[in-house]
Amino acid sequence: MSAIELDCALPRHVRGLPRFDSWSATSIVCFCLALIPVIAIPVPGSSSAFAAGADHISFVDLFGLPLLLLLLYRARLPDSMTLLFAASFLGCAWISMVNVGDLGRETLRVLRLCFIYAPFLLALSLHWTIESAERALRVFWWGGLFGIVIGFFIYWFVGAVREQQQALFLKNGLGYVFRAGGQLGNSGGFSHLITSWAMTALALYWIALRRLNAVQIAVTLAVLVYGIVITASRNSLLQVGLVLMFTTLFVARSHQRSAGRVMVTLGLVVAVVVALLPLIALITDSAVLSATMSRFGLGEDDRSIAHSVRYQNWAGLLDQLGWNALGIGYKQTMELTGLPVDNSYLRIFLELGVAGITFFLLFWASIQLRLLGSRSPDVMVRRYKAAAAGLVMGELGRMCFSDTFTMYLSTPSVMVIMAIALRLRSSDASA
């Protein structure tokens, strides 16, 4: 295609402007993945107006607006139902603001929600080959590891970074210790980052692409086990179990020759995790370890999820708020009731209404159906998409007990990984 023909093929509002090529766009997506260590760190001098609406200005806010502008500049988003459902879900968040009194403050929160999903939309506008997907995963592994290690150092040397950080209560009334919360002091968001990072590395980088070396596998598993212990996250256990189970099923379904390797991989992961547990126990404070075991239902003082107060909170929220076609307003549940939701589906239903939860479920259903419905002649592409479908099941399960859709420490990178899997195709097809 000549330069004149190429210019005519572009939308009218970008004709004559320098062409932003696909390689540059994929590099920006990889740059977003590399920002994991700083994505949620507060920007010095954050305005009090923004702080009132969304805690503080962070780097996700600074990079989100340029990414949205870049999307408008490229104007090459695919014609897909996934994009339609994502846009409709975000639209419902804006519409829900009609029920909020202080629009100026609360609008900033919705804007951040859009910024969280901006990298996903940019990645969805590109075509990805195995080579470019591998490059993105490599950046994600190193960026994620660096960000998690920063969170570990904060836990070791700083402790709590916010007033209401989650804590573990020790037996016999001996007080409490703070759970690891990463850069934000939120153990839910930090554990989501750790688990999603580790399972993405194992499912996509190792099982699908077979590029993870022995040292990286050992580091990934060690970080995963230690992270689950110091965050005391039961949701992480649920997510790991679902990813392992469904990745095994989906990859075996996509290519029967891979079934044996997947089973061996699954057995190896379980064996290494069991072997790591005594070592993790030795380097973890005994009081913290005891409280964590009780939280997992393994101690005398059972605080397992079966005895969680979440169920009472959910019933109370439904009684107090009922349901509203447009929702009560994004992020208004805590403002009105003071009760944490810890359930993405219930929270969206209450805050964004029936339309919001409908589009959210359709969004994730469209992702899963596209991943499982791949008919690519390339075995590696099918295996990659099948492994990504296993990751989706882990995310969907975790949402039952966590507000992951608003976690700006972890969700932007998780959604980028999903977009890459959706748009992945063989190198021959992109030639």
Side-chain angles (χ1 to χ4, degrees):
M1 180 180 289
S2 68
I4 296 177
E5 290 173 329
L6 177 61
D7 187 63
C8 291
L10 293 173
R12 179 172 299 176
H13 65 284
V14 299
R15 290 180 191 175
L17 294 176
R19 184 167 178 260
F20 197 87
D21 58 41
S22 180
W23 187 91
S24 300
T26 55
S27 297
I28 289 180
V29 171
C30 290
F31 179 64
C32 293
L33 292 174
L35 285 177
I36 292 172
V38 298
I39 197 73
I41 294 176
V43 174
S46 299
S47 68
S48 58
F50 198 106
D55 303 326
H56 56 257
I57 295 177
S58 68
F59 284 91
V60 71
D61 306 306
L62 297 183
F63 288 104
L65 182 58
L67 285 176
L68 289 177
L69 294 175
L70 178 59
L71 281 169
L72 295 175
Y73 173 73
R74 282 182 55 81
R76 298 175 189 171
L77 285 171
D79 182 15
S80 72
M81 297 304 293
T82 302
L83 175 62
L84 174 63
F85 295 142
S88 300
F89 165 68
L90 295 175
C92 288
W94 286 106
I95 294 173
S96 72
M97 289 294 100
V98 300
N99 293 321
V100 177
D102 189 352
L103 281 178
R105 186 188 70 171
E106 301 302 332
T107 296
L108 295 172
R109 290 178 168 177
V110 183
L111 194 60
R112 171 174 286 178
L113 182 66
C114 295
F115 291 165
I116 288 173
Y117 289 90
F120 167 80
L121 297 175
L122 178 60
L124 196 66
S125 72
L126 305 169
H127 288 295
W128 295 84
T129 63
I130 291 295
E131 291 75 17
S132 58
E134 181 185 353
R135 179 163 67 109
L137 284 175
R138 189 185 311 121
V139 172
F140 177 63
W141 193 86
W142 284 106
L145 178 63
F146 187 42
I148 292 167
V149 170
I150 289 176
F152 286 168
F153 272 98
I154 292 174
Y155 172 69
W156 294 333
F157 300 111
V158 178
V161 298
R162 68 186 179 105
E163 215 172 288
Q164 297 179 332
Q165 186 160 327
Q166 296 97 323
L168 287 171
F169 292 92
L170 307 179
K171 293 190 297 183
N172 302 321
L174 297 178
Y176 61 89
V177 290
F178 289 106
R179 297 160 59 185
Q183 294 91 323
L184 293 178
N186 186 316
S187 60
F190 190 45
S191 66
H192 184 230
L193 172 63
I194 294 171
T195 310
S196 298
W197 168 81
M199 299 316 295
T200 296
L202 295 175
L204 298 183
Y205 210 5
W206 185 23
I207 294 177
L209 298 184
R210 304 177 181 178
R211 298 288 195 272
L212 211 60
N213 61 46
V215 174
Q216 289 177 307
I217 294 171
V219 170
T220 300
L221 290 173
V223 169
L224 173 64
V225 176
Y226 181 66
I228 290 176
V229 170
I230 63 173
T231 59
S233 174
R234 298 170 297 200
N235 292 330
S236 291
L237 291 180
L238 173 65
Q239 184 178 357
V240 169
L242 289 173
V243 171
L244 289 177
M245 179 176 67
F246 283 102
T247 298
T248 302
L249 294 174
F250 294 156
V251 172
R253 169 182 172 271
S254 70
H255 186 53
Q256 292 186 356
R257 290 185 180 180
S258 300
R261 176 186 174 85
V262 173
M263 295 305 296
V264 171
T265 300
L266 179 59
L268 183 61
V269 168
V270 173
V272 172
V273 168
V274 171
L276 283 171
L277 284 175
L279 176 61
I280 299 299
L282 286 175
I283 65 175
T284 306
D285 182 88
S286 58
V288 174
L289 187 63
S290 176
T292 299
M293 291 177 65
S294 295
R295 181 171 169 80
F296 291 154
L298 301 175
E300 296 176 2
D301 182 14
D302 187 359
R303 302 189 190 101
S304 65
I305 200 165
H307 298 86
S308 173
V309 298
R310 282 187 173 98
Y311 304 113
Q312 289 83 3
N313 286 345
W314 296 343
L317 287 168
L318 287 171
D319 287 340
Q320 291 183 50
L321 302 176
W323 70 278
N324 187 310
L326 299 179
I328 60 174
Y330 178 61
K331 288 246 179 182
Q332 294 303 299
T333 306
M334 279 289 291
E335 300 280 345
L336 297 177
T337 67
L339 295 175
V341 185
D342 291 327
N343 183 315
S344 293
Y345 308 112
L346 178 60
R347 180 171 173 178
I348 294 171
F349 173 73
L350 294 173
E351 295 181 352
L352 308 189
V354 177
I357 187 60
T358 299
F359 286 123
F360 185 74
L361 293 175
L362 288 173
F363 168 67
W364 280 100
S366 68
I367 291 176
Q368 190 70 323
L369 290 174
R370 287 181 62 186
L371 292 175
L372 291 177
S374 174
R375 294 293 182 266
S376 172
D378 190 323
V379 172
M380 189 171 289
V381 171
R382 292 204 310 272
R383 188 167 62 227
Y384 191 101
K385 290 177 179 284
L391 293 175
V392 170
M393 296 305 296
E395 289 294 323
L396 294 176
R398 186 175 185 123
M399 287 181 200
C400 293
F401 301 97
S402 182
D403 302 330
T404 57
F405 76 103
T406 66
M407 291 179 176
Y408 53 96
L409 176 64
S410 51
T411 298
S413 54
V414 170
M415 296 311 303
V416 166
I417 297 300
M418 296 302 172
I420 292 174
L422 285 172
R423 300 286 286 170
L424 187 68
R425 58 182 183 178
S426 65
S427 301
D428 295 338
S430 60

